[in-house]
Amino acid sequence: MGVQSRTKNSVASIHSRTLAQEYSLKIMDDRSSNFERTEFVQEPRLITDPGRAARVAALAEPVLAGLGYRLVRVRISGFAGCTVQIMAERPDGTMSIEDCETVSRALSPVFDVADPIESSYRLEISSPGIDRPLVRRSDFERYAGQIAQIEMQVLIDGRKRFRGELHGTESECARIRCDAAQDVLLRIDDMMEARLVLTDALISESLRKSKQNQRKETDDGDR
């Protein structure tokens, strides 16, 4: 799920309110959850983006935080010329079309001014997806029991790639069961990439959570 915006230098003039006003209105709408939101957005990413993606991430992260979202990953690809994909999420791990549109409207003028990409590009805001990247300590805890694929920056027992069932975290490491013998401890800071593997169990869990969220939104709307 995601939304695309126009290329850089094409949208800044359509915004009549400043970003600061947007942030203030968003925060004032939900004061009761301010503490939880602050805790959510301030958890650092331990697996970050390299090169140009890092420049985009540095600009996007505070804007997202001001709106109550947090950054997951930034991807820059040559698809359709140049596409800058920003994965973001709400506290429950979801990201609706409306959320993506809100983020796109906030980020476009910031990128127009800062100009982090040298050429024209298409900005794409999306949810992390079911087989999502894992970038924070809480990700490895939240998805314990699911299958993950991890690539390390350094060799661990002669290998860099690991695939197995997540068993939470221990200190600065993620626990992963690659075979029936024992868990392997992998330092999250040393990971190049980590993501969930699309399995039937993961799809079922995602559908269950989606139904829960829909029921909650319906109940909230009826009050």
Side-chain angles (χ1 to χ4, degrees):
M1 179 180 294
V3 64
Q4 298 170 355
S5 74
R6 285 165 281 180
T7 56
K8 67 175 184 176
N9 300 322
S10 62
V11 296
S13 62
I14 70 173
H15 300 280
S16 59
R17 290 184 295 189
T18 65
L19 288 177
Q21 288 174 312
E22 293 280 359
Y23 302 161
S24 296
L25 289 171
K26 185 76 175 178
I27 292 170
M28 288 171 65
D29 285 342
D30 193 7
R31 290 181 181 274
S32 63
S33 62
N34 190 54
F35 176 78
E36 290 82 358
R37 176 164 46 198
T38 299
E39 190 175 36
F40 164 74
V41 300
Q42 286 185 348
E43 183 186 1
R45 292 190 304 154
L46 301 179
I47 303 175
T48 55
D49 313 291
R52 292 189 301 170
R55 298 201 299 269
V56 173
L59 292 169
E61 209 150 17
V63 175
L64 289 167
L67 294 170
Y69 305 101
R70 70 180 179 187
L71 179 66
V72 179
R73 292 304 297 264
V74 175
R75 305 285 191 204
I76 299 177
S77 71
F79 176 73
C82 180
T83 298
V84 178
Q85 180 191 19
I86 294 179
M87 299 181 194
E89 65 181 349
R90 297 193 295 184
D92 61 4
T94 64
M95 196 73 175
S96 69
I97 288 291
E98 291 76 15
D99 292 322
C100 292
E101 290 172 345
T102 296
V103 170
S104 182
R105 286 194 299 269
L107 286 179
S108 293
V110 174
F111 290 169
D112 282 343
V113 173
D115 200 20
I117 305 297
E118 299 81 4
S119 59
S120 295
Y121 60 89
R122 181 175 60 181
L123 178 62
E124 179 180 314
I125 311 299
S126 73
S127 69
I130 298 177
D131 53 341
R132 57 165 296 145
L134 307 171
V135 297
R136 293 176 170 86
R137 178 186 173 91
S138 62
D139 293 338
F140 293 90
E141 295 169 347
R142 181 190 303 178
Y143 294 101
Q146 300 294 345
I147 304 299
Q149 188 163 304
I150 298 171
E151 183 171 356
M152 304 298 294
Q153 299 182 52
V154 295
L155 287 173
I156 306 294
D157 295 330
R159 58 192 288 199
K160 285 189 175 183
R161 293 182 177 86
F162 297 81
R163 179 187 172 114
E165 184 176 280
L166 291 176
H167 286 179
T169 62
E170 181 177 318
S171 186
E172 303 301 318
C173 300
R175 302 183 68 96
I176 184 169
R177 177 70 58 87
C178 297
D179 53 46
Q182 61 183 3
D183 289 353
V184 177
L185 291 177
L186 301 175
R187 186 175 174 84
I188 302 174
D189 278 343
D190 291 336
M191 293 180 185
M192 180 180 299
E193 186 78 29
R195 66 183 310 113
L196 296 178
V197 174
L198 196 62
T199 63
D200 290 342
L202 181 60
I203 294 172
S204 296
E205 179 65 11
S206 177
L207 290 173
R208 184 185 68 81
K209 288 182 178 179
S210 178
K211 290 178 181 178
Q212 280 184 341
N213 291 334
Q214 289 175 358
R215 285 196 296 267
K216 183 178 182 301
E217 289 175 0
T218 299
D219 292 342
D220 290 344
D222 291 339
R223 289 173 186 170

